[in-house]
């Protein structure tokens, strides 16, 4: 078993807020992340898949195939968009890095479909100092 990772980037706006909460409570819980007029991040997305090396090609997966899937289903939908308002798979969800990483993982798992590789991890970097890693639902 070998692991291979593709890195992609996107720029997107978001805010952390709950509509049913007052502005004061949102500010108290989410701080400047709940700025009413949004704010943006330069996100980095690392997608790791695992599989066996194909003896003919020497590849686990053609990285162009992986890149095309990530762009089509994830980063093209997020890049220069508003995570709260524009992204189909984030509708009605909190636009936190944690939730975004989980939803990206679930979307990729669906769109990778039946293939020679399995999705292993999504790492989503929001800032230089903050990132999330998600490995899918793990048995306890
Ligand atoms: Ni933010």
């Amino acid at each position: 078993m070998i692991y291979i990772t593709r890195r992609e980037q996107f720029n997107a706006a978001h805010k952390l807020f709950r509509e049913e909460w007052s502005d004061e409570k949102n500010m108290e819980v989410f701080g400047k992340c709940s700025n009413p007029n949004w704010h943006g991040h330069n996100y980095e997305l690392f997608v790791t898949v695992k599989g066996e090396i194909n003896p003919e090609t020497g590849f686990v997966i053609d990285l162009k195939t992986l890149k095309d899937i990530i762009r089509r289903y994830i980063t093209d939908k997020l890049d220069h968009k508003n995570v709260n308002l524009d992204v189909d798979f984030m509708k009605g969800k909190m636009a936190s890095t944690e939730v975004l990483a989980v939803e990206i993982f679930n979307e990729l798992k669906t769109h990778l479909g039946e293939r020679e590789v399995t999705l292993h991890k999504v790492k989503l970097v929001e800032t230089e100092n903050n990132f999330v890693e998600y490995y899918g639902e793990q048995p306890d």
Side-chain angles (χ1 to χ4, degrees):
M1 186 71 71
I2 193 162
Y3 299 76
I4 189 164
T5 299
R6 171 76 192 177
R7 171 180 174 265
E8 292 288 334
Q9 294 171 279
F10 59 93
N11 309 317
H14 77 156
K15 70 177 168 182
L16 299 179
F17 75 112
R18 298 204 67 91
E19 245 169 62
E20 68 272 26
W21 289 358
S22 65
D23 289 351
E24 292 71 28
K25 179 152 187 195
N26 273 302
M27 197 49 79
E28 186 191 315
V29 174
F30 299 121
K32 64 183 185 181
C33 292
S34 82
N35 174 37
N37 289 330
W38 318 98
H39 66 278
H41 296 283
N42 298 319
Y43 291 91
E44 277 184 298
L45 174 64
F46 296 84
V47 175
T48 304
V49 297
K50 63 182 174 185
E52 300 297 340
I53 296 174
N54 178 320
E56 279 185 324
T57 60
F59 293 165
V60 176
I61 184 174
D62 185 336
L63 277 173
K64 182 176 184 308
T65 306
L66 184 57
K67 176 187 85 177
D68 288 347
I69 292 171
I70 298 168
R71 290 195 177 172
R72 176 167 180 197
Y73 295 107
I74 308 297
T75 51
D76 285 356
K77 292 182 177 183
L78 284 159
D79 193 32
H80 290 76
K81 297 285 168 48
N82 180 310
V83 178
N84 298 77
L85 301 178
D86 298 328
V87 182
D88 56 1
F89 62 81
M90 289 300 289
K91 283 275 151 62
K93 307 206 163 85
M94 293 297 292
S96 68
T97 318
E98 294 91 323
V99 173
L100 187 53
V102 169
E103 295 306 322
I104 289 172
F105 186 99
N106 292 338
E107 284 299 300
L108 283 173
K109 195 155 180 80
T110 301
H111 294 291
L112 273 166
E114 290 299 315
R115 237 166 243 283
E116 65 276 30
V117 292
T118 313
L119 182 59
H120 175 65
K121 175 170 95 170
V122 160
K123 174 177 170 180
L124 184 61
V125 180
E126 190 185 57
T127 70
E128 209 180 342
N129 298 318
N130 299 332
F131 62 88
V132 166
E133 293 171 296
Y134 185 60
Y135 295 82
E137 288 297 326
Q138 300 288 304
D140 291 328

